Amino acid sequence: MATRRLYYDDCYQREFGAQVLTCEPEAHAATPAWTVVLDCTALYPTSGGQPHDLGKLGDANVLDVRDDDDDIVHVVDRELPLGSVRGCVDWARRFDHMQQHTGQHLLSAMFQERFGRPTVSFHLGSDLCTIDLRGPQPTDEILEGAERAANHVISEDRPIMVRYGTAEEFAQLGVRKEVQRSGILRAIEIEGADLQPCGGTHVKSAAQIGIILVRRCTKMRQDWRVEFVCGLRAARLARNDFQLLYRAAEELKCAPEDLPASSQRAVSERDSHFKTVRTLLQRLAEEDAAVVLQSAKTDANGIRVVARVFGEESQPEYVNSLATQLAKAEKTVALLARYGCGHLIFAQHPAAGKDMNALLKQVLAQFAGKGGGTRDFARGKLTDASQADAAVSLAARLLSAG
Ligand SMILES: [Zn+2]
């Protein structure tokens, strides 16, 4: 016997009486659960892009509701005795789903009728809803135009009715979607705006959708995914958007409406400062290299080795430039590292005649890390940055031994 779906006739029914026909332990459940089949239910199962309801059956909490051919299967958190039971629907969740779902019918109808963009799929998420539109990329004018037209229908509070008929009858009335199923079908009509076969739950008049807010549109394989929200979700999201704008404006010390210009200015200032700092660091590295070279000692083979470990406050660009500058001096080897990040830079003047890449590999064989480079310039990173000092000391010892 098929479960009678009470929401087909009245999706505003929040409480109902039913008979428990079967109650069995759910296999493979993470926590103990039972599957319950009733003779009738007002709880909506996951289907057609709309998530399942939550609610109660007796004392049991409903965890999931599934469509299983003609039956509806309720997953509950405790065992129920066979026989009579009272059920109730988590109304806040259901009404939100009804707002989003009905809003989708209306928005899809506007995209189709006004702009020739058919909807190929719908998803109702916990935060955002989406429809996928077929065809070329919708412009801002199309996105705004569909939103405005849909909100106009909402402001007229047009009635929304459930209709029954055959696929043929609906086709004559101009139903867009092709229907394969035979027999009597259920369709939802938004007066003068849309007629769609659908087994979901919907509000009874357009004003109950509240408002439709269209958001981003992104490419999704061959289609265009349009994000939207309806009703109280739209109000929550708009408030959240305002708070984000307000906070960003406070940070940039400007009015929210000046944000685009202010943020653009801040980014170009940052870019120009970055260039200045890079130039200054390079000049500083040149000056410091000259000072360091004056005091560096030369070994028996006439090679100068400069081994230094820099603190976390030093800039990577500076250490890099310093290595390059030192290696410009005749027969000089630079063994540099940075605490904090654990970067190693080994560089030499070609006439020093060592192999920086081989030296780095030898050091990394003793300390965990990775890196590589050429004979004259090699770069690595220690897994444990606190070993920077020990790694540079080892490199200096290996160099003098070799
Ligand atoms: Zn529907």
Side-chain angles (χ1 to χ4, degrees):
M1 194 181 77
T3 312
R4 200 152 65 83
R5 297 164 190 241
L6 300 169
Y7 55 81
Y8 271 174
D9 299 319
D10 179 9
C11 59
Y12 283 80
Q13 190 173 349
R14 306 182 197 193
E15 291 180 13
F16 62 100
Q19 294 292 317
V20 177
L21 302 179
T22 63
C23 177
E24 290 160 3
E26 163 94 308
H28 317 301
T31 52
W34 286 261
T35 55
V36 173
V37 175
L38 307 171
D39 64 332
C40 65
T41 187
L43 288 152
Y44 185 79
T46 299
S47 59
Q50 183 178 328
H52 64 84
D53 283 339
L54 293 176
K56 295 201 96 163
L57 291 178
D59 290 332
N61 294 302
V62 176
L63 309 172
D64 192 7
V65 189
R66 298 195 294 246
D67 214 334
D68 185 10
D69 283 334
D70 286 340
D71 282 338
I72 289 180
V73 176
H74 308 76
V75 180
V76 296
D77 66 353
R78 68 195 70 177
E79 192 171 7
L80 287 175
L82 301 185
S84 298
V85 73
R86 293 293 300 170
C88 69
V89 178
D90 175 340
W91 183 245
R93 175 178 164 95
R94 159 68 84 71
F95 187 69
D96 169 62
H97 291 169
M98 284 161 56
Q99 283 189 314
Q100 312 308 317
H101 187 136
T102 316
Q104 179 265 316
H105 278 253
L106 181 55
L107 186 61
S108 286
M110 297 302 111
F111 273 118
Q112 169 76 47
E113 300 306 326
R114 313 243 165 169
F115 305 105
R117 304 297 163 90
T119 295
V120 290
S121 71
F122 159 61
H123 176 72
L124 201 172
S126 54
D127 294 318
L128 292 167
C129 309
T130 60
I131 50 175
D132 289 353
L133 299 177
R134 182 110 336 144
Q137 181 174 12
T139 59
D140 286 348
E141 287 71 29
I142 290 178
L143 296 171
E144 278 178 43
E147 179 191 72
R148 202 174 324 115
N151 282 321
H152 188 69
V153 171
I154 291 172
S155 72
E156 290 178 343
D157 194 16
R158 301 214 198 144
I160 296 172
M161 291 140 312
V162 178
R163 296 235 178 270
Y164 290 95
T166 62
E168 248 176 21
E169 287 166 342
F170 286 143
Q172 280 169 6
L173 291 170
V175 164
R176 296 189 307 268
K177 197 159 72 180
E178 257 191 55
V179 186
Q180 308 293 348
R181 283 168 57 186
S182 56
I184 298 298
L185 299 172
R186 181 178 189 264
I188 305 305
E189 180 179 11
I190 303 173
E191 194 181 86
D194 188 40
L195 179 65
Q196 277 289 298
C198 185
T201 58
H202 310 83
V203 296
K204 60 189 168 195
S205 78
Q208 289 200 4
I209 299 170
I211 192 164
I212 297 181
L213 190 61
V214 170
R215 294 170 67 83
R216 272 190 314 183
C217 174
T218 49
K219 185 109 170 98
M220 189 52 64
R221 288 182 284 276
Q222 59 170 332
D223 300 313
W224 295 94
R225 179 158 291 178
V226 177
E227 293 175 357
F228 70 97
V229 279
C230 304
L232 295 174
R233 282 195 195 197
R236 275 200 302 273
L237 212 54
R239 162 123 314 255
N240 192 47
D241 286 349
F242 171 75
Q243 281 169 341
L244 288 177
L245 283 175
Y246 190 79
R247 236 184 295 155
E250 257 188 345
E251 284 296 324
L252 287 170
K253 300 189 174 31
C254 69
E257 55 271 28
D258 295 332
L259 267 175
S262 289
S263 54
Q264 208 173 23
R265 204 161 44 235
V267 167
S268 69
E269 275 175 16
R270 185 201 62 188
D271 289 349
S272 117
H273 289 161
F274 183 74
K275 272 184 207 154
T276 309
V277 168
R278 209 167 42 188
T279 309
L280 290 175
L281 285 175
Q282 199 155 355
R283 275 173 50 187
L284 184 64
E286 283 168 24
E287 304 279 334
D288 287 355
V291 174
V292 168
L293 284 168
Q294 273 176 7
S295 59
K297 291 197 175 66
T298 308
D299 71 8
N301 301 318
I303 293 172
R304 271 186 300 202
V305 177
V306 178
R308 287 279 167 92
V309 180
F310 294 88
E312 287 178 48
E313 73 292 344
S314 65
Q315 297 289 323
E317 291 89 348
Y318 167 79
V319 181
N320 214 26
S321 295
L322 187 66
T324 307
Q325 289 305 319
L326 290 170
K328 279 182 185 168
E330 189 74 15
K331 288 193 172 183
T332 302
V333 179
L335 307 173
L336 309 183
R338 260 187 90 228
Y339 281 124
C341 60
H343 279 135
L344 299 172
I345 299 177
F346 297 169
Q348 73 167 356
H349 185 271
K354 308 286 183 183
D355 186 338
M356 297 297 105
N357 187 40
L359 183 65
L360 182 67
K361 291 278 187 306
Q362 276 178 286
V363 169
L364 292 179
Q366 299 293 316
F367 301 96
K370 54 186 176 184
T374 64
R375 198 173 153 277
D376 293 334
F377 198 98
R379 219 192 295 246
K381 190 176 189 313
L382 295 166
T383 308
D384 178 2
S386 72
Q387 293 176 325
D389 212 7
V392 166
S393 302
L394 173 67
R397 282 201 307 279
L398 289 168
L399 207 60
S400 63

